[in-house]
Amino acid sequence: MLAVRLPEEIEARLTALAERTGRSKSFYVREAVREHLDDLEDYYLAVQRLEERLPTVPLEEVERRLGLAD
């Protein structure tokens, strides 16, 4: 269980959306968190990878190895 305080403007928009569609506000909050959580996990994984400072391969080399070079 999680309780979240929302700014009045967002609460009003969420209420209006729920009323318009016949779905609960909780449904839309779950959907928003699920969608954004994927993005946040991807972002922090990318940051972690950058901080590891692994060796890089130039794009031209990748293209050559894949047979995509001109």
Side-chain angles (χ1 to χ4, degrees):
M1 174 59 97
L2 174 69
V4 178
R5 292 182 190 259
L6 298 173
E8 288 181 20
E9 177 189 346
I10 293 175
E11 175 78 20
R13 290 173 59 194
L14 186 57
T15 299
L17 178 62
E19 289 173 355
R20 247 189 343 266
T21 62
R23 293 200 183 255
S24 69
K25 292 189 287 184
S26 293
F27 170 82
Y28 288 112
V29 171
R30 277 192 307 273
E31 289 300 304
V33 169
R34 184 177 299 125
E35 180 69 27
H36 193 61
L37 190 56
D38 287 343
D39 293 341
L40 285 172
E41 289 170 337
D42 289 346
Y43 170 80
Y44 286 108
L45 178 60
V47 168
Q48 178 185 0
R49 294 290 189 258
L50 286 172
E51 289 173 348
E52 290 174 359
R53 300 191 187 272
L54 299 172
T56 61
V57 179
L59 177 59
E60 294 78 15
E61 177 63 18
V62 172
E63 290 174 337
R64 187 188 64 73
R65 290 180 188 182
L66 294 174
L68 302 173
D70 292 331

